[in-house]
């Protein structure tokens, strides 16, 4: 029969096995399913950009304020997310280190009991060690990383381990060491120092038993907070949220998790320690009565216990095999639950759409968009779908296959509703269209709000190059050159500028210059004037034409669709896109014309027949009130038609955002 | 064993120090005849060639842009030991102490830089003979006799459009590279701060404008270390030399955007007027001559004797003072005016035109007078009120001791002498101010790239001649190459701002202590209220 010690070692090994399995699963999950490269793509678009630059000035600046060290390291490690396997490794390493530190803390803080008494309880308490790792995983599930606060927590945990492992007996020395560590951690990781104080206070209360220190540590933490707030006039949110990347409110999950990062583990540790202390006292009581030599009482007690369901349950948990099985599988179970609860598959797909759009992988944009429930489309997704349709030559034929939204088409929303991401998308879109001034303005707004991410630096450099402001462009390119991942792009462009200052061989720059509007006015209204300015500059601006037509189709301005059909000749189009054709037919019907030919373009007879069919069913079933029946009667052939959109959706589109299908 | 390790560590440390010293030490004197002479000056960045520099300026670190594998620069003047600096990268970082000594000992004399570049196919140097080296023509600068004020206070931010987040006012010690925040918007929820103004180039009296959606618009008034919050926003401010009052403008300013110009931002004052704040009574007053209903008054500046307030004034061309007039924005041109004032009796005279836009054909803005009262420097640009957004903005100098009428009761003066300074560029020059000894002018210029404003200094001699400007020196000579922020509104002060940013931040977050009534009604912003669309984001 194995000794208690052997059982303990065996149980530790099993726990160890459980953690290994946990972290292997963790790594594979993050790498293959979450794909950290998508999170990297989200930096500066979906989530705040973790600033990092490889120059001394940035390092000096980071070292000059509390929390800067954590931000610097977090910023650097975040860059590694560009490579999914490496990002997953970073996340797993951080999670594992937090787990390890937590495990040591539980062991040191919870129980100083002889083996056999604390062993089982200690084993079960290991569960709480997974809390930080699970929270990190949940954040990744939301397509955010928030490495900086987790690094801060990691620093707090390990500094707590160092403190608790010290063998210094003198209270004064321990207090001095604590204060130094506290100050150091405050400098490195700001509010994680309060977590450190909390944890070591728990230790001193339950394990250290040093009365003076129990009071001193929380007093120091509170004093620091009060000093920061009242003496140094640091605002409360700056103290607490300094290390939290901005714009948390976009995902309440992330916001809540990040705020809980600093509290959950210490509170769980406290709860665990209290539970353990109560349990141990109860066990001591039992033991005392047993040691009194009252065997008969003992058997009487046993008998009492054996008679209840709770007794059976207790027996089950005291059974070594069952306990081992639970301790091994429980972490995996927790992992699965946290994934299930926090994972947002729709968000992943939306991020993928954005990612593919940025990479100009247009077919992939559409493939991914088709996997998203239409009701889950946001305006960015719809906008990217429209761009993908344009670039694949299908905007005039398939845009109504997807939910459409007027605001999404041109990204025209009120200023107060603008997100950081909107500014960058607007800038990219308008640059392609040829509206350079608005593209520039949006890019600068983005840079001020969201920081100098490589995306915006490249965008501003491109804009300045289009405008011929080469020296200004070089400033952005040199700044871009300091980026860990995209620095090569900056350096390559600078080299190209040395050889070709006018970028005469750069097709993209030359194209944008050819379509750039030269109408000088201070109107900011999108609409007829906006498009006509662009087409006046270059009648071959296909994007401006197709978006103009899409705008007219979305708003039901049939006469303008018809009036601009002739521009197809400027673009050397060979066929009339489906929606233009259908719009012409509707226009014919409304203006009671028998036939219609515009600049050599006219609708085909079969399209006119289709229109008649729609009109016939519309009248038969009573119009707007029987949309469902009409659609059903028409069948899937008409699902993509402009006829139905015109009849049923235009009133909704013009009134509210989003379209129901 | 321990002793062995200790010895080993000591040996390694000694070796490391020796190696470092070897590579960083100067390598003896240069024998000129062994070098190939290049008959031009080397290209260096920043351009510190042919300038006049203050004797107390921080080292002018620069980078040599000539291709090579090693660089040697010798800096010398008439007296004192030359400074020899070697570099492998071309970046020349001059030691502070020796630089300071050299400049101080050679006031009024020439400062020379001899630059040697080792060619890529050159041989190793042996002893004191340099083989494969080229020597360029000597770069010469002049060390002025007069110091520059030791501190520069400026606004540091990215090129802003509608939103702001990261704005700070900083002070830089011009004698070294120390840089500290006077106040940063982060300390009051990412607010905006601007229009820092000092009395007589000292921080004893200072004002700072604040805009914050959370804490409102206000002015921080610092007097001898005490900070008070005045519940109204002062825009362009000027202290009366007595310190008893400050004149300031109230501007209803709006930003709008062009489509095709290089600088797409533009600014218009839909309405503006001048007021003045009396320090003792804490009252705000105005006068008819500085707040005419049908004119836009702005950019006040006192004459050093306090007898005149100079300002810019333009007729209001529109009736609606809420809408940006799309047709008339480029028709607004400001005159330069002045009005007499008696600080003892608080009485104002009649405004008189010093220089009219009609005569110059341009808009006259930002007058600043040298502390000795001799020179008035102003901007002129094609139109409007915001020269930093106008590439046409250039600096002009007016000699106030010449061209003034003998009688002072005429409404219009004789056309004074003024000239365009030779220190302008094709891009905007603006936001200028003088040092306390009137010899140094600091100003903002976009000459490097047309977008980012940088701070420059130019020596103005007793005759009003302006010498080639030089850029604010930095420890890293390539600092400006990738700097995405602008240095704006430079002001020279003789000693540092002592009041801490914590004290200032606390004052911002408190309710205003002084809430005087504003005597001007109409389209002026209410106290404590942020009206303009330049807003912060959370």
């Amino acid at each position: 029969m194995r000794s208690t010690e052997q059982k303990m070692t065996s149980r530790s090994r099993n726990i160890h096995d459980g953690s290994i399995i946990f972290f292997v699963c963790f790594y594979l999950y993050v790498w293959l399913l979450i794909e950290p490269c998508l999170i990297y793509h989200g930096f500066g678009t979906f989530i705040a950009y973790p600033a990092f630059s490889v120059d001394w000035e940035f390092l000096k600046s980071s070292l000059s304020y509390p929390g800067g060290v954590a931000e610097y390291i977090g910023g650097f490690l975040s860059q590694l997310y560009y490579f999914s396997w490496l990002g997953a490794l970073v996340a797993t390493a951080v999670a594992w280190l937090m787990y390890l530190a937590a495990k040591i803390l539980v062991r040191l803080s919870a129980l100083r009991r002889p083996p056999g008494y604390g062993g089982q309880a200690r084993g079960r308490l290991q569960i709480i060690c997974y809390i930080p790792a699970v929270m990190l995983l949940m954040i990744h599930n939301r397509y955010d990383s928030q490495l900086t606060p987790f690094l801060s927590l990691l620093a707090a945990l390990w500094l707590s381990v160092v403190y608790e492992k010290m063998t210094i007996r003198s209270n004064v020395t321990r207090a001095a060491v604590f204060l130094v560590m506290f100050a150091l951690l405050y400098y490195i990781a700001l509010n994680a120092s309060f977590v450190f104080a909390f944890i070591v206070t728990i230790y001193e209360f339950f394990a250290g038993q040093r009365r003076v220190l129990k009071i001193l540590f929380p007093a120091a933490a509170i004093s620091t907070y009060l000093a920061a707030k009242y003496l140094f006039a640091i605002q409360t949110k700056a103290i607490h949220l300094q290390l939290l990347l901005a714009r948390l409110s976009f995902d309440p999950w992330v916001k809540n998790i990040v705020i809980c990062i600093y509290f959950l583990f210490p509170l769980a540790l406290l709860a665990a320690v209290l539970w353990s202390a109560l349990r141990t006292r109860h066990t001591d009581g039992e033991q005392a009565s047993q040691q009194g030599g009252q065997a008969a009482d003992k058997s009487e007690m046993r008998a009492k216990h054996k008679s209840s369901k709770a007794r059976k349950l207790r027996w089950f948990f005291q059974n070594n095999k069952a306990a081992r099985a639970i301790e091994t599988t429980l972490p995996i179970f927790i992992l699965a639950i946290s994934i299930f609860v926090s994972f947002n598959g729709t968000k992943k797909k939306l991020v993928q759409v954005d990612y593919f759009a940025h990479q100009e992988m247009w077919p992939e944009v559409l493939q991914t968009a088709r996997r998203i429930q239409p009701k889950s489309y946001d305006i960015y997704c719809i906008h990217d779908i429209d761009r993908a349709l344009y670039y694949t030559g299908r905007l005039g034929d398939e845009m109504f296959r997807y939910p459409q939204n007027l605001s999404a088409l041109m990204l025209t929303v009120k200023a107060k509703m603008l997100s950081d991401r909107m500014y960058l998308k607007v800038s990219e879109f308008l640059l392609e269209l040829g509206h350079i001034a608005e593209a520039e303005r949006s890019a600068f707004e983005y840079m001020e709000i969201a920081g100098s991410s490589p995306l915006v630096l490249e965008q501003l450099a491109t804009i300045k190059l289009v405008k011929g402001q080469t020296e200004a462009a070089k400033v952005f390119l040199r700044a871009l050159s300091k980026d860990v991942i995209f620095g090569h792009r900056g350096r390559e462009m600078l080299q190209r500028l040395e050889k070709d200052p006018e970028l005469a061989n750069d097709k993209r720059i030359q194209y944008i210059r050819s379509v750039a509007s030269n109408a000088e006015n201070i109107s900011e209204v999108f609409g007829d004037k906006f498009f006509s300015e662009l087409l006046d500059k270059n009648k071959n601006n296909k994007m401006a034409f197709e978006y103009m037509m899409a705008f007219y189709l979305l708003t039901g301005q049939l006469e303008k669709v018809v009036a601009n059909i002739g521009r197809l000749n400027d673009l050397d189009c060979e066929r009339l896109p489906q929606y233009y054709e259908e719009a012409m037919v509707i226009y014919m019907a409304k203006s009671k014309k028998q036939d219609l030919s515009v600049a050599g373009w006219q609708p085909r007879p079969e399209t006119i027949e289709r229109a008649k069919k729609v009109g016939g069913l519309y009248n038969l079933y009573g119009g707007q009130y029987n949309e469902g029946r009409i659609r059903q009667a028409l069948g899937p052939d008409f699902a993509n038609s402009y006829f139905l959109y015109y009849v049923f959706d235009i009133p909704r589109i013009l009134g509210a955002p989003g379209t129901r299908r | 064993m321990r002793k062995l390790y200790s010895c080993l560590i000591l040996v390694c440390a000694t070796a490391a120090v020796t190696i470092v010293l070897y590579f960083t030490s100067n390598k003896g004197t240069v024998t000129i005849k062994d070098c190939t002479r290049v008959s031009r000056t080397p290209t260096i960045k920043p351009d510190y060639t042919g300038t006049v520099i203050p004797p107390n300026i921080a080292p002018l670190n620069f980078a040599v842009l000539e291709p090579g594998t090693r660089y040697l620069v010798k800096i010398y003047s008439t007296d004192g030991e030359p400074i020899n600096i070697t570099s492998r990268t071309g970046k020349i970082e001059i030691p502070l102490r020796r630089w300071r000594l050299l400049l101080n000992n050679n006031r009024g004399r020439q400062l020379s830089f001899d630059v040697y570049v080792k060619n890529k196919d050159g041989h190793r140097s042996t002893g004191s003979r340099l083989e494969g080296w080229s020597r360029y023509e000597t770069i010469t600068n002049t060390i002025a006799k007069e110091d520059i004020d030791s501190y520069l206070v400026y606004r540091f931010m990215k090129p802003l459009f509608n939103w702001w987040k990261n704005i700070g006012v900083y002070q830089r010690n011009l004698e070294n590279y120390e840089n500290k925040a006077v106040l940063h918007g982060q300390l009051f929820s990412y607010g905006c701060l601007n229009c820092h103004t000092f009395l007589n180039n000292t921080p004893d009296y200072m004002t700072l404008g604040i805009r914050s959606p959370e804490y409102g618009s206000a002015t921080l008034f610092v007097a001898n270390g005490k900070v008070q919050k005045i519940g109204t926003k002062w825009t362009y401010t000027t202290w009366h030399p007595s310190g008893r009052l400050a004149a300031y403008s109230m501007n209803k300013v709006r930003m709008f955007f062009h489509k095709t110009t290089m600088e797409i931002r533009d600014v218009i004052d839909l309405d503006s007027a001048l007021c003045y704040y009396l320090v003792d009574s804490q009252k705000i007053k105005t006068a008819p001559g500085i707040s005419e209903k049908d004119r836009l008054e702005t950019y006040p500046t006192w004459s050093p004797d306090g007898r005149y307030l100079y300002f810019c004034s333009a007729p209001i061309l529109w009736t609606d003072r809420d809408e940006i007039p799309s047709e008339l924005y480029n028709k607004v041109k400001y005159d330069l005016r002045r009005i007499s004032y008696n600080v003892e009796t608080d009485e104002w005279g009649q405004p008189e035109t010093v220089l009219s836009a009609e005569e110059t054909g341009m808009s006259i803005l930002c007058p600043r007078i040298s502390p000795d009262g001799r020179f008035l420097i102003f901007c002129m640009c094609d139109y409007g009120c915001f020269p930093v957004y106008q590439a046409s903005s250039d600096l002009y100098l007016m000699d106030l001791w010449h061209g003034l009428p003998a009688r002072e009761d005429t409404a219009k003066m004789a056309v004074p002498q003024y000239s365009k300074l030779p220190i302008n560029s094709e891009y905007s020059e603006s936001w200028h101010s003088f040092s306390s000894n009137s010899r140094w002018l600091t100003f903002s210029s976009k000459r490097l790239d047309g977008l980012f404003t940088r701070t420059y200094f130019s020596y103005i001699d007793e005759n009003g001649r302006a010498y080639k400007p030089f850029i604010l020196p930095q420890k890293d000579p390539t600092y400006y190459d990738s700097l995405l922020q602008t240095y704006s509104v430079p002001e020279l002060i003789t000693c540092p701002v002592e009041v801490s940013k914590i004290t200032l931040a606390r004052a911002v977050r408190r309710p205003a202590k002084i809430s005087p009534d504003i005597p001007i009604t109409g389209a002026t912003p209410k106290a404590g209220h942020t009206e303009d669309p330049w807003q912060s984001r959370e």
Side-chain angles (χ1 to χ4, degrees), chain B residues 334-351:
Chain B
Y334 287 76
D335 302 325
L336 176 61
R337 289 187 164 190
R338 71 175 188 175
I339 184 169
S340 63
Y341 177 71
N342 187 325
V343 70
E344 300 303 331
T345 60
D346 190 25
E347 283 175 352
W348 295 85
Q350 291 298 317

Side-chain angles (χ1 to χ4, degrees), chain B residues 154-204:
Chain B
Y154 61 95
R155 198 172 171 218
F156 192 63
M157 59 194 188
K158 289 200 179 96
L160 291 186
F161 283 65
N162 276 318
W163 306 105
W164 68 70
K165 193 178 172 191
N166 221 349
I167 300 178
V169 169
Y170 290 79
Q171 58 180 346
R172 158 76 189 268
N173 187 332
L174 291 177
E175 298 180 2
N176 50 45
Y177 305 110
E178 282 173 15
N179 205 43
K180 256 177 45 171
V182 173
L183 182 62
H184 196 281
Q186 209 172 13
L187 291 171
F188 50 101
S189 303
Y190 296 103
C192 173
L193 56 163
N194 49 34
C195 302
H196 43 280
T197 313
F198 302 92
L199 167 62
N200 298 335
N201 296 94
T202 68
D204 297 335

Side-chain angles (χ1 to χ4, degrees), chain A residues 55 57 60 229-235 237-238 242 246-247 249 415-416 418-420 423 435-438 440-441 444-445 447-452 457 464 467-469 471-472 474-476 478-479 482 517-524 533, chain B residues 45 157-167 185-190 214-215 256-264 324-327 329 427 448-452 454 475-476 478-484 502-503 505-506 509 535 537-538:
Chain A
D55 66 355
E57 283 298 322
K60 271 171 30 185
K229 190 170 163 57
Y230 295 107
L231 204 59
F232 298 103
I234 301 173
Q235 293 175 289
K237 56 186 175 185
Q242 175 79 16
R247 317 299 291 173
S249 58
K416 287 184 181 175
L418 285 168
S419 66
D420 305 347
Y423 278 114
H435 201 313
I436 310 302
E438 281 297 320
E440 181 177 353
R441 175 180 162 188
F444 272 113
E445 302 281 27
M447 187 171 75
E448 176 61 14
I449 301 162
S452 306
L457 293 178
K464 289 300 177 185
K467 291 177 76 170
Q469 294 178 295
E471 290 306 313
K474 284 180 181 175
V475 177
F476 293 109
R478 289 187 205 111
K482 296 178 182 175
S517 170
N518 54 10
E520 174 55 39
N521 61 62
I522 53 174
S523 167
E524 295 180 27
E533 283 171 7
Chain B
K45 179 171 69 173
M157 59 194 188
K158 289 200 179 96
L160 291 186
F161 283 65
N162 276 318
W163 306 105
W164 68 70
K165 193 178 172 191
N166 221 349
I167 300 178
Q186 209 172 13
L187 291 171
F188 50 101
S189 303
Y190 296 103
E214 194 171 338
Y215 301 105
F256 60 98
F257 303 96
H258 296 284
K259 292 288 178 61
T260 58
T261 51
M262 281 301 163
E263 173 58 76
I264 62 172
I324 298 169
S326 57
E327 305 297 323
Y329 72 91
Y427 295 115
L448 286 182
D449 48 49
L451 173 63
F452 296 101
R454 310 293 187 215
K475 194 168 198 312
D476 177 4
T478 62
Y479 173 73
Y480 295 110
D481 288 356
S482 56
L483 180 68
L484 299 175
I502 293 162
T503 308
R506 218 178 260 134
R509 294 188 225 147
Q535 300 172 23
R537 284 173 70 96
E538 53 185 358

Side-chain angles (χ1 to χ4, degrees), chain A residues 456-595:
Chain A
V456 75
L457 293 178
E458 201 168 12
Q459 179 73 359
L460 280 165
T462 305
I463 291 168
K464 289 300 177 185
L465 288 171
V466 165
K467 291 177 76 170
Q469 294 178 295
T470 310
E471 290 306 313
K474 284 180 181 175
V475 177
F476 293 109
L477 290 171
R478 289 187 205 111
L480 178 62
S481 299
K482 296 178 182 175
D483 186 75
V484 174
I485 303 296
F486 291 107
H488 67 279
R489 286 199 196 173
R491 289 186 289 273
E492 280 161 16
M493 183 53 93
L494 285 167
Q495 282 171 5
R496 282 177 59 198
L497 280 170
E498 294 297 317
K499 295 173 188 168
D500 180 14
E502 293 300 316
L503 293 172
N505 297 320
D506 189 310
K507 286 182 184 168
R508 183 170 182 240
I509 299 286
Q510 294 305 323
Y511 170 75
I512 297 173
R513 283 178 182 166
S514 73
V515 299
S517 170
N518 54 10
E520 174 55 39
N521 61 62
I522 53 174
S523 167
E524 295 180 27
V525 177
F526 287 113
D528 294 340
K529 200 171 181 185
F530 173 75
F531 291 115
S532 62
E533 283 171 7
L534 293 169
L535 288 165
D536 285 345
K537 170 70 193 311
N538 189 336
K539 61 183 180 180
N540 297 320
N541 188 342
K542 188 165 182 262
M543 193 175 196
F545 169 71
E546 290 203 21
Y547 271 78
M548 176 182 71
M549 296 296 264
F551 172 71
Y552 290 148
L553 287 168
L554 270 174
T555 50
Q557 298 182 68
L558 302 175
E559 65 286 355
K560 290 184 180 170
V561 172
V562 170
N564 284 282
I565 291 278
R567 290 185 185 273
L568 286 167
N569 297 329
D570 298 330
L571 299 166
D572 296 328
C573 287
E574 291 177 355
R575 64 172 187 89
L576 188 59
Q578 176 188 329
Y579 300 141
Y580 304 177
E581 191 179 8
E582 291 176 352
M584 284 179 82
V585 171
I586 300 172
Y587 179 78
M588 277 168 60
K590 289 188 77 165
S591 53
K592 299 197 185 339
K593 291 188 179 180
Q594 293 302 312
D595 54 31

